[in-house]
Amino acid sequence: MTINTLAKGGCHREQMACFRKMEKVIVAMQDPDMGMKMRNQRLLITVIPHAMTGHDIITWLTHKYRISEEEALHLGNMLVKYGYIYPLKEPRCLVLRPDESPYRFQTPYFWTSTRWPASELDYAIYLAKKNIRKQGELMEYEKERYSLLHKRINHTWDFVVMQAREQLRSSKQRRKADRIVLECQEQAYWLINRPPCIVHIQHSSSCLCLQIEACRKALGRNRVKSSICLEGFLKYSEQYLNHDPIMQGCLPSNPWISDDTAHWTMNAEIVPVPTRLRVERWSFSFTELLNDAMGRKEFMTYLEKEFSAENLYFWQACEDIRHGENSKIVEKVEDVYKNFLAPGAARWVNIDSKTMDKTLEGIKRPHRFVMDDAQMHIYFLMKKDSYPRYLKSDLYKNMLAKAIVPQETKKSVFPFMRRQRHSSPSPAQTATQAQQLVWCYGLSPACCEYP
Amino acid sequence: MACQGLQKGETLESLKRESETLKKKLEEERNKLNDVELHQVAEKVEVLSALSIKTRRVLKGHGNKVLCMDWCKDKRRMVSSSQDGKVIVWDAFTLNKEHGVPLPCTWVLACAYAPLRSLCLIMNGYLGLDNKCSVIPLSLDKNENLAAKKKSVAMHTNYVSGCSFTNSDMQLLTSSGDGTCALWDVESGQLLQSFHGHTADVLSLDLAPSETGNTFVSGGCDMKANVWDMRSGQNIQSFESHESDINCVKYYPSGDAFASASDDATCRFYDLRADREVAVYQKDSIIFGASTCDFSLSGRLLFAGYNDYTINVWDVLKGTRATILFGHENRVSRVRVSPDGTALGSASWDSTLRVSWSFSTGSNYIFRFIKLLFWVNSRLVLEFTVAF
């Protein structure tokens, strides 16, 4: 929902689609066959016809929508709150009670949707009157709106026609002069409140052009078969199931439940020994490895051994350019060129000649994305080559073996003894520590997070 | 194709017709590769064991509707913004309020934590005064006047509805009621890229967690969800299947799909590779619009907050509702899963924030059983003591 009530072009936006839905529920409840059983309710000494008890309402909702009683009570409360059902006892207390308290349905004339915004029902009655009075008197846009309204408030259409006929009959009893004046006033009122603008005003020519162009482009798109894509979601959810604390809990315990922050301490940014789950996660995808500071450090160590560490340093430097301050771009691009791309550079990276030429050309006018092609090339190089070898290497396997599997905390026998909850250092403080990390490990600032 | 006004021989009608035919054709193309539905594929997945998610922390302190919240990367702190004009940083674990920043404009529609230096971002919106986005550096000194260090970054011609830092603190993405999204440089406040294509207010955006980190999705009042390329400003993909305003969009953790929550009381799941909607999460008894949504860490669960004060938890793969959370006493404006997936934070117009988590693991049942035994025992002892 937006706080703008007028759409572009001045038409009133349709607010609250939920009111129509509630009305559908109410109409279903009043259905002669499948709806609620009404009975006469006794209120003190008066007998009220067509009433029902709160208990009946809840049973009907539970049965019809196959929901729990708690949810049916909640839904029923909403219906009462918005005035579709009103209580006979204590009329000022708009709450649904699941007992023998009597309730009645509100007449459609007073439904919330008809009272706000400028009543659709009144407009429908006006158009119906015009239609009945003389066939074909409605204008084009009025015909369109009439059919739209007919679709939208179909469930009260009998009421609309009846009201229109009533109003026409009573107007016939007026003097002709008065009648003409009233008709003119009414027409003027509706011309202002429902101006004859085009209903879909946003379809101006330029918007349509853009839409057409977008459609054409989309038609030429490569798509993947559903069966393959959807399998992907299953695999992903399965792979990450053990890592999802809401599904499977976490070890040693969920800090929120046990008031014990061991889980967070064990999984801090940099720890002497990481947990097993964490190390396993590095094998899920290359991004997982790079996003984890420890994983990245380990990978760097591995690359040093393989004499290809310059790839990772280059990638990090490119990330820094892409996400860093605008003002420092030129300077950073210079540095990258000097350290990685210039012939005879200290950490020369091996890029294919076509990409290299393109990049060198782009450096003459450096911008944020000038290194993108080269960065992509190196990224995929690492992903296809170094990453799989790292996963098979002794370095990784030792890490996995060393990794700790935390013991599940023994729940204290006396559950009423609460652990003291301690505050952790403010993130702003640890930001300075993060700066130190940048210096120590040559890590890009973007990957430094909080312990 | 130049679109400056109508070309010769074209009328508004003919353009409309062409647009409609193309849209139909696009639907046909998309359906060609639709060989199976998500819930069919998900039949072989185990049914979720009964989820027991309870709200156990209530953060009180705001004086009016809480409009937005976000988690800090340290997994326990959160920032919240409210209509009372205050932005509060909480340690949700200890229930301490750490910072309170009062602001001149009361419609603080959104706030977000920055990845690195805990820069807290606030949105000032609407009421004709302020369509800006500001950034505040949080420091150690609690007594420091943080509001004075506020720095204005983004500026739109209508209210700013959503914001997100990109991978660093240096760039900011905003969505606005003026129908556009924009990318800003925080340091200079300069506009780097703007994204045009929505025909009504843009209400929400989310960044893709993909390898290349170059795309984001936005949803708006024109019922469309658009995927954009941050570099070129182009609209890459567009999805139009909702029946009312899209209030919130959120990427699936793998980046191959996203979910949207809308006023039509449904949440929908869109696959980016198949280029179509693959699931609709709806129920007849859910009448009120959904204003917010977020995935659990594994993407198996979708938490959605509704205007009827509830949070429905959906099984993403099977398309069924796993459970429903009650507790809030007014509209739920925002739900967010904590960064390590241990808890769910929710903000509401009832001026509170709540933190909920799952008690679902097996050993917990034994624990609760023992707890119940002790409770029963202690009650019996009490009864006897009183009686005698």
PDB file of all heavy atoms in Angstrom, chain A residues 1-2 13 21 71 74 209 216 227 231 244 323 327 383 422 450, chain B residues 3 18 35 76 116 159 168 187 201 245 247 264 298 308 321:
ATOM      1  N   MET A   1       0.841  -1.202   0.000  1.00  0.00           N
ATOM      2  CA  MET A   1       0.000   0.000   0.000  1.00  0.00           C
ATOM      3  C   MET A   1       0.862   1.232   0.000  1.00  0.00           C
ATOM      4  O   MET A   1       1.927   1.257   0.581  1.00  0.00           O
ATOM      5  CB  MET A   1      -0.856   0.022   1.261  1.00  0.00           C
ATOM      6  CG  MET A   1      -2.199  -0.609   1.008  1.00  0.00           C
ATOM      7  SD  MET A   1      -3.259  -0.523   2.417  1.00  0.00           S
ATOM      8  CE  MET A   1      -3.483   1.190   2.627  1.00  0.00           C
ATOM      9  N   THR A   2       0.395   2.229  -0.663  1.00  0.00           N
ATOM     10  CA  THR A   2       1.168   3.446  -0.738  1.00  0.00           C
ATOM     11  C   THR A   2       0.403   4.572  -0.068  1.00  0.00           C
ATOM     12  O   THR A   2      -0.803   4.492   0.116  1.00  0.00           O
ATOM     13  CB  THR A   2       1.466   3.800  -2.200  1.00  0.00           C
ATOM     14  OG1 THR A   2       1.728   5.181  -2.300  1.00  0.00           O
ATOM     15  CG2 THR A   2       0.261   3.497  -3.061  1.00  0.00           C
ATOM     16  N   ARG A  13      -7.406   5.473  -6.460  1.00  0.00           N
ATOM     17  CA  ARG A  13      -6.939   4.106  -6.440  1.00  0.00           C
ATOM     18  C   ARG A  13      -7.936   3.257  -5.673  1.00  0.00           C
ATOM     19  O   ARG A  13      -8.547   3.718  -4.727  1.00  0.00           O
ATOM     20  CB  ARG A  13      -5.597   4.023  -5.722  1.00  0.00           C
ATOM     21  CG  ARG A  13      -4.536   4.797  -6.398  1.00  0.00           C
ATOM     22  CD  ARG A  13      -3.178   4.446  -5.840  1.00  0.00           C
ATOM     23  NE  ARG A  13      -2.716   3.194  -6.384  1.00  0.00           N
ATOM     24  CZ  ARG A  13      -2.497   2.119  -5.673  1.00  0.00           C
ATOM     25  NH1 ARG A  13      -2.652   2.138  -4.391  1.00  0.00           N
ATOM     26  NH2 ARG A  13      -2.086   1.001  -6.245  1.00  0.00           N
ATOM     27  N   LYS A  21     -12.988  -9.184  -0.269  1.00  0.00           N
ATOM     28  CA  LYS A  21     -12.830 -10.570   0.142  1.00  0.00           C
ATOM     29  C   LYS A  21     -13.683 -10.861   1.364  1.00  0.00           C
ATOM     30  O   LYS A  21     -14.302 -11.924   1.476  1.00  0.00           O
ATOM     31  CB  LYS A  21     -11.370 -10.858   0.460  1.00  0.00           C
ATOM     32  CG  LYS A  21     -10.510 -10.731  -0.743  1.00  0.00           C
ATOM     33  CD  LYS A  21      -9.226 -11.522  -0.622  1.00  0.00           C
ATOM     34  CE  LYS A  21      -8.513 -11.495  -1.944  1.00  0.00           C
ATOM     35  NZ  LYS A  21      -7.172 -11.043  -1.855  1.00  0.00           N
ATOM     36  N   GLU A  71      -7.595 -19.619  14.749  1.00  0.00           N
ATOM     37  CA  GLU A  71      -7.578 -18.793  13.547  1.00  0.00           C
ATOM     38  C   GLU A  71      -8.985 -18.348  13.169  1.00  0.00           C
ATOM     39  O   GLU A  71      -9.187 -17.235  12.725  1.00  0.00           O
ATOM     40  CB  GLU A  71      -6.943 -19.569  12.390  1.00  0.00           C
ATOM     41  CG  GLU A  71      -6.472 -18.648  11.287  1.00  0.00           C
ATOM     42  CD  GLU A  71      -5.833 -19.364  10.136  1.00  0.00           C
ATOM     43  OE1 GLU A  71      -5.425 -20.522  10.309  1.00  0.00           O
ATOM     44  OE2 GLU A  71      -5.757 -18.756   9.059  1.00  0.00           O
ATOM     45  N   HIS A  74      -9.884 -15.502  15.255  1.00  0.00           N
ATOM     46  CA  HIS A  74      -9.182 -14.313  14.784  1.00  0.00           C
ATOM     47  C   HIS A  74      -9.880 -13.722  13.562  1.00  0.00           C
ATOM     48  O   HIS A  74     -10.114 -12.515  13.482  1.00  0.00           O
ATOM     49  CB  HIS A  74      -7.736 -14.700  14.451  1.00  0.00           C
ATOM     50  CG  HIS A  74      -6.890 -13.564  13.994  1.00  0.00           C
ATOM     51  ND1 HIS A  74      -6.233 -12.709  14.843  1.00  0.00           N
ATOM     52  CD2 HIS A  74      -6.609 -13.124  12.749  1.00  0.00           C
ATOM     53  CE1 HIS A  74      -5.590 -11.795  14.146  1.00  0.00           C
ATOM     54  NE2 HIS A  74      -5.793 -12.017  12.869  1.00  0.00           N
ATOM     55  N   CYS A 209       4.965   1.970 -25.514  1.00  0.00           N
ATOM     56  CA  CYS A 209       6.147   1.668 -26.325  1.00  0.00           C
ATOM     57  C   CYS A 209       7.174   0.891 -25.530  1.00  0.00           C
ATOM     58  O   CYS A 209       7.718  -0.111 -25.985  1.00  0.00           O
ATOM     59  CB  CYS A 209       6.795   2.968 -26.812  1.00  0.00           C
ATOM     60  SG  CYS A 209       5.986   3.658 -28.238  1.00  0.00           S
ATOM     61  N   ARG A 216       9.102  -7.649 -26.415  1.00  0.00           N
ATOM     62  CA  ARG A 216       9.858  -8.195 -27.552  1.00  0.00           C
ATOM     63  C   ARG A 216      11.174  -8.786 -27.081  1.00  0.00           C
ATOM     64  O   ARG A 216      11.567  -9.879 -27.475  1.00  0.00           O
ATOM     65  CB  ARG A 216      10.128  -7.100 -28.598  1.00  0.00           C
ATOM     66  CG  ARG A 216       8.918  -6.676 -29.353  1.00  0.00           C
ATOM     67  CD  ARG A 216       9.192  -6.550 -30.853  1.00  0.00           C
ATOM     68  NE  ARG A 216       7.954  -6.195 -31.531  1.00  0.00           N
ATOM     69  CZ  ARG A 216       7.617  -4.946 -31.857  1.00  0.00           C
ATOM     70  NH1 ARG A 216       8.447  -3.955 -31.598  1.00  0.00           N
ATOM     71  NH2 ARG A 216       6.470  -4.691 -32.439  1.00  0.00           N
ATOM     72  N   SER A 227      11.298 -28.312 -14.908  1.00  0.00           N
ATOM     73  CA  SER A 227      11.713 -29.460 -14.098  1.00  0.00           C
ATOM     74  C   SER A 227      13.139 -29.282 -13.589  1.00  0.00           C
ATOM     75  O   SER A 227      13.452 -29.629 -12.453  1.00  0.00           O
ATOM     76  CB  SER A 227      11.595 -30.758 -14.886  1.00  0.00           C
ATOM     77  OG  SER A 227      12.054 -30.556 -16.195  1.00  0.00           O
ATOM     78  N   GLU A 231      14.009 -28.567  -9.519  1.00  0.00           N
ATOM     79  CA  GLU A 231      14.905 -29.498  -8.832  1.00  0.00           C
ATOM     80  C   GLU A 231      15.967 -28.729  -8.064  1.00  0.00           C
ATOM     81  O   GLU A 231      16.367 -29.123  -6.963  1.00  0.00           O
ATOM     82  CB  GLU A 231      15.605 -30.419  -9.847  1.00  0.00           C
ATOM     83  CG  GLU A 231      14.765 -31.553 -10.357  1.00  0.00           C
ATOM     84  CD  GLU A 231      14.436 -32.578  -9.291  1.00  0.00           C
ATOM     85  OE1 GLU A 231      15.263 -32.762  -8.377  1.00  0.00           O
ATOM     86  OE2 GLU A 231      13.353 -33.175  -9.358  1.00  0.00           O
ATOM     87  N   ASP A 244      20.074 -24.683   8.911  1.00  0.00           N
ATOM     88  CA  ASP A 244      18.958 -23.775   9.180  1.00  0.00           C
ATOM     89  C   ASP A 244      18.461 -23.986  10.608  1.00  0.00           C
ATOM     90  O   ASP A 244      17.790 -24.963  10.892  1.00  0.00           O
ATOM     91  CB  ASP A 244      17.834 -24.059   8.183  1.00  0.00           C
ATOM     92  CG  ASP A 244      16.738 -23.014   8.235  1.00  0.00           C
ATOM     93  OD1 ASP A 244      16.683 -22.246   9.231  1.00  0.00           O
ATOM     94  OD2 ASP A 244      15.937 -22.965   7.292  1.00  0.00           O
ATOM     95  N   HIS A 323      32.892  -1.568  -5.356  1.00  0.00           N
ATOM     96  CA  HIS A 323      32.022  -1.181  -4.251  1.00  0.00           C
ATOM     97  C   HIS A 323      32.540  -0.018  -3.436  1.00  0.00           C
ATOM     98  O   HIS A 323      31.958   0.348  -2.431  1.00  0.00           O
ATOM     99  CB  HIS A 323      31.810  -2.386  -3.315  1.00  0.00           C
ATOM    100  CG  HIS A 323      31.153  -3.532  -4.005  1.00  0.00           C
ATOM    101  ND1 HIS A 323      29.877  -3.459  -4.484  1.00  0.00           N
ATOM    102  CD2 HIS A 323      31.598  -4.769  -4.303  1.00  0.00           C
ATOM    103  CE1 HIS A 323      29.556  -4.611  -5.048  1.00  0.00           C
ATOM    104  NE2 HIS A 323      30.579  -5.417  -4.954  1.00  0.00           N
ATOM    105  N   SER A 327      35.234   8.633  -5.404  1.00  0.00           N
ATOM    106  CA  SER A 327      36.384   9.529  -5.553  1.00  0.00           C
ATOM    107  C   SER A 327      37.698   8.780  -5.680  1.00  0.00           C
ATOM    108  O   SER A 327      38.661   9.289  -6.227  1.00  0.00           O
ATOM    109  CB  SER A 327      36.454  10.469  -4.353  1.00  0.00           C
ATOM    110  OG  SER A 327      36.408   9.688  -3.167  1.00  0.00           O
ATOM    111  N   LYS A 383      37.216 -20.513  -9.921  1.00  0.00           N
ATOM    112  CA  LYS A 383      36.070 -21.371  -9.604  1.00  0.00           C
ATOM    113  C   LYS A 383      36.204 -22.728 -10.289  1.00  0.00           C
ATOM    114  O   LYS A 383      35.935 -23.774  -9.683  1.00  0.00           O
ATOM    115  CB  LYS A 383      34.785 -20.673 -10.054  1.00  0.00           C
ATOM    116  CG  LYS A 383      33.541 -21.465  -9.732  1.00  0.00           C
ATOM    117  CD  LYS A 383      32.305 -20.681 -10.119  1.00  0.00           C
ATOM    118  CE  LYS A 383      31.074 -21.566 -10.007  1.00  0.00           C
ATOM    119  NZ  LYS A 383      29.884 -20.900 -10.494  1.00  0.00           N
ATOM    120  N   HIS A 422      24.691 -11.479  28.809  1.00  0.00           N
ATOM    121  CA  HIS A 422      25.696 -10.418  28.756  1.00  0.00           C
ATOM    122  C   HIS A 422      25.663  -9.703  27.432  1.00  0.00           C
ATOM    123  O   HIS A 422      25.401 -10.292  26.403  1.00  0.00           O
ATOM    124  CB  HIS A 422      27.103 -11.035  28.947  1.00  0.00           C
ATOM    125  CG  HIS A 422      27.252 -11.682  30.275  1.00  0.00           C
ATOM    126  ND1 HIS A 422      27.374 -10.972  31.447  1.00  0.00           N
ATOM    127  CD2 HIS A 422      27.266 -12.985  30.634  1.00  0.00           C
ATOM    128  CE1 HIS A 422      27.470 -11.811  32.448  1.00  0.00           C
ATOM    129  NE2 HIS A 422      27.407 -13.040  32.001  1.00  0.00           N
ATOM    130  N   TYR A 450      31.402  -8.803  11.851  1.00  0.00           N
ATOM    131  CA  TYR A 450      31.601  -8.717  13.289  1.00  0.00           C
ATOM    132  C   TYR A 450      31.759 -10.090  13.896  1.00  0.00           C
ATOM    133  O   TYR A 450      31.160 -11.027  13.421  1.00  0.00           O
ATOM    134  CB  TYR A 450      30.397  -8.052  13.951  1.00  0.00           C
ATOM    135  CG  TYR A 450      30.033  -6.789  13.264  1.00  0.00           C
ATOM    136  CD1 TYR A 450      28.884  -6.718  12.482  1.00  0.00           C
ATOM    137  CD2 TYR A 450      30.839  -5.666  13.375  1.00  0.00           C
ATOM    138  CE1 TYR A 450      28.552  -5.561  11.843  1.00  0.00           C
ATOM    139  CE2 TYR A 450      30.501  -4.514  12.726  1.00  0.00           C
ATOM    140  CZ  TYR A 450      29.355  -4.459  11.962  1.00  0.00           C
ATOM    141  OH  TYR A 450      29.017  -3.315  11.318  1.00  0.00           O
TER     142      TYR A 450
ATOM    143  N   CYS B   3      10.480   6.222 -29.088  1.00  0.00           N
ATOM    144  CA  CYS B   3       9.111   6.290 -28.593  1.00  0.00           C
ATOM    145  C   CYS B   3       8.690   7.719 -28.318  1.00  0.00           C
ATOM    146  O   CYS B   3       8.028   8.007 -27.338  1.00  0.00           O
ATOM    147  CB  CYS B   3       8.963   5.466 -27.326  1.00  0.00           C
ATOM    148  SG  CYS B   3       9.058   3.709 -27.654  1.00  0.00           S
ATOM    149  N   GLU B  18      -1.327  -4.011 -29.654  1.00  0.00           N
ATOM    150  CA  GLU B  18      -0.034  -4.659 -29.898  1.00  0.00           C
ATOM    151  C   GLU B  18       0.570  -5.139 -28.591  1.00  0.00           C
ATOM    152  O   GLU B  18       1.081  -6.249 -28.484  1.00  0.00           O
ATOM    153  CB  GLU B  18       0.912  -3.663 -30.588  1.00  0.00           C
ATOM    154  CG  GLU B  18       2.146  -4.347 -31.144  1.00  0.00           C
ATOM    155  CD  GLU B  18       3.108  -3.368 -31.793  1.00  0.00           C
ATOM    156  OE1 GLU B  18       2.701  -2.204 -32.013  1.00  0.00           O
ATOM    157  OE2 GLU B  18       4.243  -3.774 -32.054  1.00  0.00           O
ATOM    158  N   ASP B  35       6.905 -27.762 -17.741  1.00  0.00           N
ATOM    159  CA  ASP B  35       6.532 -29.170 -17.832  1.00  0.00           C
ATOM    160  C   ASP B  35       6.118 -29.779 -16.497  1.00  0.00           C
ATOM    161  O   ASP B  35       5.621 -30.891 -16.443  1.00  0.00           O
ATOM    162  CB  ASP B  35       7.678 -29.983 -18.459  1.00  0.00           C
ATOM    163  CG  ASP B  35       9.008 -29.710 -17.765  1.00  0.00           C
ATOM    164  OD1 ASP B  35       9.084 -28.740 -16.989  1.00  0.00           O
ATOM    165  OD2 ASP B  35       9.972 -30.459 -18.004  1.00  0.00           O
ATOM    166  N   ARG B  76      22.549 -10.253  16.764  1.00  0.00           N
ATOM    167  CA  ARG B  76      21.737 -10.011  17.953  1.00  0.00           C
ATOM    168  C   ARG B  76      21.214  -8.584  18.055  1.00  0.00           C
ATOM    169  O   ARG B  76      20.261  -8.330  18.766  1.00  0.00           O
ATOM    170  CB  ARG B  76      22.500 -10.359  19.218  1.00  0.00           C
ATOM    171  CG  ARG B  76      23.866  -9.723  19.289  1.00  0.00           C
ATOM    172  CD  ARG B  76      24.689 -10.275  20.420  1.00  0.00           C
ATOM    173  NE  ARG B  76      24.278  -9.707  21.694  1.00  0.00           N
ATOM    174  CZ  ARG B  76      24.769 -10.087  22.864  1.00  0.00           C
ATOM    175  NH1 ARG B  76      25.659 -11.051  22.914  1.00  0.00           N
ATOM    176  NH2 ARG B  76      24.362  -9.531  23.965  1.00  0.00           N
ATOM    177  N   LEU B 116      29.572  -2.847   7.003  1.00  0.00           N
ATOM    178  CA  LEU B 116      30.841  -2.765   7.722  1.00  0.00           C
ATOM    179  C   LEU B 116      30.816  -1.881   8.948  1.00  0.00           C
ATOM    180  O   LEU B 116      30.825  -2.345  10.075  1.00  0.00           O
ATOM    181  CB  LEU B 116      31.934  -2.285   6.756  1.00  0.00           C
ATOM    182  CG  LEU B 116      33.303  -2.088   7.416  1.00  0.00           C
ATOM    183  CD1 LEU B 116      33.787  -3.386   8.006  1.00  0.00           C
ATOM    184  CD2 LEU B 116      34.293  -1.550   6.427  1.00  0.00           C
ATOM    185  N   TYR B 159       7.973  10.228  -1.967  1.00  0.00           N
ATOM    186  CA  TYR B 159       8.515   9.576  -0.776  1.00  0.00           C
ATOM    187  C   TYR B 159       9.449   8.419  -1.145  1.00  0.00           C
ATOM    188  O   TYR B 159       9.306   7.798  -2.186  1.00  0.00           O
ATOM    189  CB  TYR B 159       7.387   9.082   0.139  1.00  0.00           C
ATOM    190  CG  TYR B 159       6.590   7.927  -0.408  1.00  0.00           C
ATOM    191  CD1 TYR B 159       6.903   6.613  -0.081  1.00  0.00           C
ATOM    192  CD2 TYR B 159       5.490   8.155  -1.225  1.00  0.00           C
ATOM    193  CE1 TYR B 159       6.150   5.565  -0.565  1.00  0.00           C
ATOM    194  CE2 TYR B 159       4.738   7.116  -1.711  1.00  0.00           C
ATOM    195  CZ  TYR B 159       5.074   5.814  -1.375  1.00  0.00           C
ATOM    196  OH  TYR B 159       4.327   4.781  -1.870  1.00  0.00           O
ATOM    197  N   SER B 168      28.765  -2.970   0.035  1.00  0.00           N
ATOM    198  CA  SER B 168      29.633  -2.213   0.932  1.00  0.00           C
ATOM    199  C   SER B 168      28.851  -1.043   1.495  1.00  0.00           C
ATOM    200  O   SER B 168      27.685  -0.867   1.186  1.00  0.00           O
ATOM    201  CB  SER B 168      30.845  -1.691   0.184  1.00  0.00           C
ATOM    202  OG  SER B 168      30.422  -0.647  -0.670  1.00  0.00           O
ATOM    203  N   GLU B 187      29.368   8.697  -0.332  1.00  0.00           N
ATOM    204  CA  GLU B 187      30.347   9.722   0.019  1.00  0.00           C
ATOM    205  C   GLU B 187      29.983  11.073  -0.582  1.00  0.00           C
ATOM    206  O   GLU B 187      29.996  12.094   0.095  1.00  0.00           O
ATOM    207  CB  GLU B 187      31.699   9.265  -0.503  1.00  0.00           C
ATOM    208  CG  GLU B 187      32.848  10.044   0.069  1.00  0.00           C
ATOM    209  CD  GLU B 187      34.112   9.728  -0.718  1.00  0.00           C
ATOM    210  OE1 GLU B 187      34.007   9.361  -1.894  1.00  0.00           O
ATOM    211  OE2 GLU B 187      35.172   9.861  -0.120  1.00  0.00           O
ATOM    212  N   ASP B 201       4.080   3.777  -7.985  1.00  0.00           N
ATOM    213  CA  ASP B 201       5.039   3.793  -6.870  1.00  0.00           C
ATOM    214  C   ASP B 201       5.785   2.472  -6.757  1.00  0.00           C
ATOM    215  O   ASP B 201       5.194   1.413  -6.895  1.00  0.00           O
ATOM    216  CB  ASP B 201       4.320   3.971  -5.524  1.00  0.00           C
ATOM    217  CG  ASP B 201       3.393   5.167  -5.517  1.00  0.00           C
ATOM    218  OD1 ASP B 201       2.982   5.615  -6.612  1.00  0.00           O
ATOM    219  OD2 ASP B 201       3.078   5.637  -4.423  1.00  0.00           O
ATOM    220  N   ASP B 245      -1.183  -4.221  -5.307  1.00  0.00           N
ATOM    221  CA  ASP B 245       0.159  -3.691  -5.034  1.00  0.00           C
ATOM    222  C   ASP B 245       1.075  -4.752  -4.455  1.00  0.00           C
ATOM    223  O   ASP B 245       0.688  -5.512  -3.587  1.00  0.00           O
ATOM    224  CB  ASP B 245       0.111  -2.573  -3.972  1.00  0.00           C
ATOM    225  CG  ASP B 245      -0.842  -1.474  -4.338  1.00  0.00           C
ATOM    226  OD1 ASP B 245      -1.362  -1.480  -5.471  1.00  0.00           O
ATOM    227  OD2 ASP B 245      -1.053  -0.601  -3.484  1.00  0.00           O
ATOM    228  N   ASN B 247       3.913  -5.290  -2.001  1.00  0.00           N
ATOM    229  CA  ASN B 247       4.467  -4.541  -0.877  1.00  0.00           C
ATOM    230  C   ASN B 247       5.912  -4.886  -0.568  1.00  0.00           C
ATOM    231  O   ASN B 247       6.626  -4.080   0.010  1.00  0.00           O
ATOM    232  CB  ASN B 247       3.639  -4.810   0.389  1.00  0.00           C
ATOM    233  CG  ASN B 247       2.273  -4.196   0.276  1.00  0.00           C
ATOM    234  OD1 ASN B 247       2.137  -3.055  -0.135  1.00  0.00           O
ATOM    235  ND2 ASN B 247       1.253  -4.957   0.602  1.00  0.00           N
ATOM    236  N   ASP B 264      -3.057  -8.376  -2.388  1.00  0.00           N
ATOM    237  CA  ASP B 264      -4.105  -9.306  -2.805  1.00  0.00           C
ATOM    238  C   ASP B 264      -4.118 -10.539  -1.901  1.00  0.00           C
ATOM    239  O   ASP B 264      -4.708 -11.560  -2.236  1.00  0.00           O
ATOM    240  CB  ASP B 264      -3.940  -9.721  -4.280  1.00  0.00           C
ATOM    241  CG  ASP B 264      -2.649 -10.475  -4.540  1.00  0.00           C
ATOM    242  OD1 ASP B 264      -1.924 -10.786  -3.568  1.00  0.00           O
ATOM    243  OD2 ASP B 264      -2.357 -10.764  -5.709  1.00  0.00           O
ATOM    244  N   SER B 298      17.629 -21.756   4.910  1.00  0.00           N
ATOM    245  CA  SER B 298      17.706 -22.765   3.853  1.00  0.00           C
ATOM    246  C   SER B 298      16.722 -22.484   2.734  1.00  0.00           C
ATOM    247  O   SER B 298      16.703 -23.188   1.732  1.00  0.00           O
ATOM    248  CB  SER B 298      17.397 -24.142   4.430  1.00  0.00           C
ATOM    249  OG  SER B 298      16.060 -24.140   4.919  1.00  0.00           O
ATOM    250  N   ASP B 308      -3.598  -8.396   9.021  1.00  0.00           N
ATOM    251  CA  ASP B 308      -4.542  -8.828  10.036  1.00  0.00           C
ATOM    252  C   ASP B 308      -3.789  -9.253  11.304  1.00  0.00           C
ATOM    253  O   ASP B 308      -4.277 -10.062  12.087  1.00  0.00           O
ATOM    254  CB  ASP B 308      -5.445  -9.955   9.526  1.00  0.00           C
ATOM    255  CG  ASP B 308      -4.691 -11.247   9.274  1.00  0.00           C
ATOM    256  OD1 ASP B 308      -3.448 -11.212   9.327  1.00  0.00           O
ATOM    257  OD2 ASP B 308      -5.334 -12.266   9.040  1.00  0.00           O
ATOM    258  N   ARG B 321       0.676 -24.072   4.132  1.00  0.00           N
ATOM    259  CA  ARG B 321       1.042 -23.215   5.248  1.00  0.00           C
ATOM    260  C   ARG B 321       1.524 -24.098   6.388  1.00  0.00           C
ATOM    261  O   ARG B 321       0.810 -25.003   6.817  1.00  0.00           O
ATOM    262  CB  ARG B 321      -0.135 -22.386   5.701  1.00  0.00           C
ATOM    263  CG  ARG B 321       0.334 -21.402   6.761  1.00  0.00           C
ATOM    264  CD  ARG B 321      -0.747 -20.623   7.360  1.00  0.00           C
ATOM    265  NE  ARG B 321      -1.780 -21.443   7.930  1.00  0.00           N
ATOM    266  CZ  ARG B 321      -2.905 -20.928   8.357  1.00  0.00           C
ATOM    267  NH1 ARG B 321      -3.137 -19.650   8.237  1.00  0.00           N
ATOM    268  NH2 ARG B 321      -3.812 -21.715   8.858  1.00  0.00           N
TER     269      ARG B 321
END
